Amino acid sequence: MRLRSDTNARTGKGRTARRAVRGVTAVLLASGLALTAAACGAGSDRSAADRSEGGRSHDGAPAPVAPDGGQGYEDRDGARRDDASGDEEPGEKTRKPAPDYLSTFALDVDTASYHYTRRLLREGGTPEPRQVRPEEFVNSFRQDYRRPDGDGFSVTVDGARPGAVAGGAQEGEITASSEGSSGGSSDRGETDAGDWSLVRVGLATAAAEDTGKRPPAALTFVIDTSGSMAEPGRLDLVKTSLSTLTDQLRDDDSIAVVTFSGEAETRLPMTRLDGNRDRIHDIVDDLEPGASTNVEAGVTTGYDAAVEGRRKGATNRVVLLSDALANTGATEADAILERIDDARREHGITLFGVGVGSDYGDELMERLADKGDGHTTYVSTTEDAREVFVDQLPAHVELRARDAKAQVAFDPATVRQFRLIGYENRAVADDDFRNDAVDGGEVGPGHTVTALYAVRLREGARGHVATATVRWLDPKTRAPHEASGSVETGAVDGPLWGEAPSRLQITAVAAYFAESLRGGGLPGDPGLAALERRARSLAESTEDDAVTGLADAIAQAARRTLD
């Protein structure tokens, strides 16, 4: 996400946005409420067109700036700090690069990485580190953020201290490459327990309206019927889910069905459900596994059917159900993405990827959904499928925000180091926060998006810590909007375990678990045994079965490390 601070203009760090292609949802804004001690900031919301004159970005709004434009800054006592090294010969003094205090990314509501990891652990396996995306672990759990009154986002920022950890001398943003995946630089020493906090940035959209009030849906189901889908929990689960969904959707909704194995076939062109449910049930019941997996043919034919059957005023979406184990046709994502991108840009058709199977092409499915301005999930049980196809999809076919990005601006007077946990493939160049030509994430109603930061405060720091800003486009008018929230040191200073809000503790457990699976480390990591105990306690106090599932997964991972 991208954040603003009240200083002079800056040209961001311009890092490459591998995630300049994605669709999921909202961003964090500047000029937010400062949170008083132990309080969270609910954000302001205003159209970008209402911004004042001054430094301007692509839409006329003031461009986000780094603290003091990267030219140094003043301490709270007014003493000037800059980044010149001070040890060069006279006449040769040069300025070191200014520490980066901005963090910008596209919103993400994917959860596939967590749910696939749970299945692997349950069946005695372990995920590859590259398959573990911490943001998808964190975003798999319910949050307690305040909801906005209307469209757009609310912004909540809070935090707590996890305990004493190792840290380093480097200042500004810490990345995996700069800190070796552990929360400090190579220059490490024990830091005081108060040095590090976990700061949670929470975004929420309003709950879905009654399904009778939403626009009609035009859904093209692209179903993998290859030989690999014959395994129990794949095609059988897809068929059960689609049959149930057919009965849940409204009469004015429409469905198209495309299947693929070695080749692709349109089984049903875009058809309204009114009077056609029996026909749709018959088509779904007749689905049988075939031979090879030609994902390219399925995606291309599916998007052709979606474009041909596109309905004006409806939510047009492709739903890809597959194990994504491509072995025929173009098997790499780059060769399949062009068709998806064209349909997204020209017709506003988004992609929802549903993964199935114990062997699952997670990376391919994620890249396809990213390019299609959509998101991914993973189902392995009938309970998972019912949650996705019955509880979520009918209510969430409508979008609340397009191209949503978030930016967090940390205050260098109080913050020494920070690290965003996850979102590596959602990174957006700081300068592109308000460039609406750069893709962001798509977010539906009733969604929450959470970003967790490890933040090392300066010794004795008091006052403003960070401002989070979210920017998004109205799905209908494409008008840009922003909302923001801020946090003070008093709101991130309390103990995490036992005293912080339960949902913040659950977020921390999920993040620590993900980092341990991919071989990294976070400040204050208590280890798997302690994480399991905390998860069990939190599951009991919140009466949340999803947290019980988290505790079970941690226990299974701990046993893997002992084998």
Side-chain angles (χ1 to χ4, degrees):
M1 332 183 255
R2 208 177 284 276
L3 295 124
R4 300 177 55 221
S5 67
D6 296 326
T7 54
N8 300 324
R10 167 194 194 259
T11 63
K13 61 192 173 203
R15 60 182 181 231
T16 303
R18 178 193 152 195
R19 163 62 208 180
V21 253
R22 150 92 228 231
V24 193
T25 172
V27 250
L28 307 145
L29 187 266
S31 65
L33 298 174
L35 299 179
T36 54
C40 299
S44 61
D45 179 2
R46 57 178 175 168
S47 168
D50 296 333
R51 294 187 165 276
S52 61
E53 298 293 320
R56 295 197 170 271
S57 184
H58 301 268
D59 64 348
V65 291
D68 199 29
Q71 302 303 310
Y73 54 89
E74 291 183 359
D75 283 334
R76 290 295 180 189
D77 62 3
R80 187 72 176 175
R81 298 178 60 123
D82 63 33
D83 296 292
S85 61
D87 56 2
E88 296 87 347
E89 293 298 322
E92 297 180 359
K93 192 167 188 176
T94 59
R95 185 175 299 281
K96 291 191 291 188
D100 179 17
Y101 284 91
L102 290 177
S103 172
T104 307
F105 56 91
L107 297 193
D108 182 13
V109 294
D110 288 358
T111 59
S113 176
Y114 171 69
H115 292 290
Y116 182 49
T117 294
R118 281 190 62 199
R119 175 169 184 161
L120 288 177
L121 291 169
R122 189 166 59 240
E123 296 179 351
T126 54
E128 296 291 332
R130 59 183 172 76
Q131 294 175 314
V132 177
R133 295 182 291 277
E135 70 274 16
E136 297 185 23
F137 281 54
V138 166
N139 282 319
S140 292
F141 297 93
R142 183 162 48 89
Q143 297 287 358
D144 52 4
Y145 306 138
R146 179 187 65 83
R147 299 284 178 176
D149 295 331
D151 290 339
F153 294 89
S154 65
V155 182
T156 301
V157 193
D158 62 1
R161 288 186 293 104
V165 296
Q170 171 187 337
E171 296 192 0
E173 181 177 14
I174 303 172
T175 64
S177 61
S178 67
E179 51 98 29
S181 303
S182 66
S185 70
S186 58
D187 177 15
R188 290 181 180 150
E190 281 299 307
T191 63
D192 185 82
D195 282 347
W196 286 94
S197 294
L198 294 181
V199 173
R200 178 179 61 162
V201 175
L203 309 174
T205 57
E209 299 177 351
D210 184 278
T211 56
K213 296 181 180 180
R214 65 163 172 80
L219 305 176
T220 300
F221 289 93
V222 180
I223 305 167
D224 186 346
T225 57
S226 64
S228 61
M229 292 291 287
E231 175 191 300
R234 296 194 185 194
L235 187 58
D236 57 338
L237 188 59
V238 168
K239 291 169 67 173
T240 300
S241 302
L242 287 185
S243 292
T244 304
L245 179 64
T246 297
D247 294 329
Q248 294 288 320
L249 292 173
R250 298 188 326 215
D251 285 348
D252 63 341
D253 292 330
S254 300
I255 283 180
V257 178
V258 172
T259 61
F260 68 94
S261 54
E263 297 179 348
E265 178 185 356
T266 300
R267 299 287 188 97
L268 179 73
M270 193 65 70
T271 302
R272 293 199 183 216
L273 272 79
D274 187 17
N276 291 296
R277 282 185 169 83
D278 288 343
R279 179 185 175 194
I280 296 170
H281 280 302
D282 289 342
I283 291 171
V284 172
D285 290 343
D286 288 342
L287 298 179
E288 295 293 339
S292 54
T293 308
N294 192 337
V295 176
E296 178 192 20
V299 169
T300 300
T301 304
Y303 270 88
D304 287 345
V307 170
E308 183 177 348
R310 186 173 62 96
R311 292 178 55 187
K312 187 175 181 180
T315 300
N316 294 273
R317 181 168 297 178
V318 170
V319 182
L320 175 61
L321 303 106
S322 175
D323 57 18
L325 298 175
N327 56 25
T328 300
T331 59
E332 298 296 329
D334 290 342
I336 308 173
L337 296 178
E338 185 175 352
R339 183 71 183 97
I340 295 176
D341 193 42
D342 289 344
R344 177 185 68 83
R345 293 182 181 278
E346 295 178 22
H347 305 291
I349 298 173
T350 59
L351 178 65
F352 177 36
V354 181
V356 295
S358 55
D359 291 323
Y360 168 53
D362 172 67
E363 291 184 59
L364 174 60
M365 182 70 86
E366 190 206 13
R367 292 192 64 193
L368 296 177
D370 284 353
K371 182 63 103 175
D373 268 1
H375 62 283
T376 64
T377 190
Y378 177 86
V379 298
S380 61
T381 65
T382 53
E383 292 78 14
D384 290 343
R386 181 172 183 83
E387 181 180 356
V388 170
F389 289 101
V390 178
D391 300 335
Q392 297 178 2
L393 187 57
H396 294 167
V397 291
E398 185 181 7
L399 287 179
R400 284 280 191 261
R402 283 190 181 274
D403 289 330
K405 309 184 193 85
Q407 187 176 70
V408 181
F410 290 91
D411 191 329
T414 57
V415 174
R416 179 176 175 182
Q417 296 172 304
F418 70 92
R419 174 186 165 191
L420 174 60
I421 302 169
Y423 288 93
E424 288 89 357
N425 62 349
R426 303 289 186 256
V428 173
D430 292 335
D431 285 345
D432 285 334
F433 178 58
R434 292 192 175 90
N435 181 354
D436 296 327
V438 172
D439 193 23
E442 273 51 55
V443 182
H447 276 136
T448 61
V449 180
T450 300
L452 193 66
Y453 287 86
V455 178
R456 187 182 184 192
L457 298 177
R458 296 187 183 278
E459 184 177 357
R462 293 290 182 271
H464 176 256
V465 173
T467 296
T469 300
V470 58
R471 180 182 177 87
W472 71 96
L473 303 183
D474 182 276
K476 297 177 182 177
T477 67
R478 299 280 179 162
H481 299 272
E482 295 184 359
S484 65
S486 297
V487 68
E488 303 279 313
T489 52
V492 302
D493 207 23
L496 171 62
W497 305 117
E499 296 190 22
S502 295
R503 293 292 161 185
L504 173 57
Q505 294 185 59
I506 293 168
T507 298
V509 170
Y512 280 126
F513 179 39
E515 281 296 306
S516 70
L517 288 173
R518 66 178 188 172
L522 286 175
D525 184 350
L528 291 177
L531 285 177
E532 182 195 351
R533 291 194 298 272
R534 297 193 189 284
R536 300 261 180 229
S537 176
L538 289 163
E540 182 177 355
S541 63
T542 60
E543 298 182 345
D544 189 339
D545 289 341
V547 184
T548 300
L550 173 62
D552 291 342
I554 295 171
Q556 290 154 359
R559 287 196 292 271
R560 297 289 89 75
T561 63
L562 297 176
D563 291 344

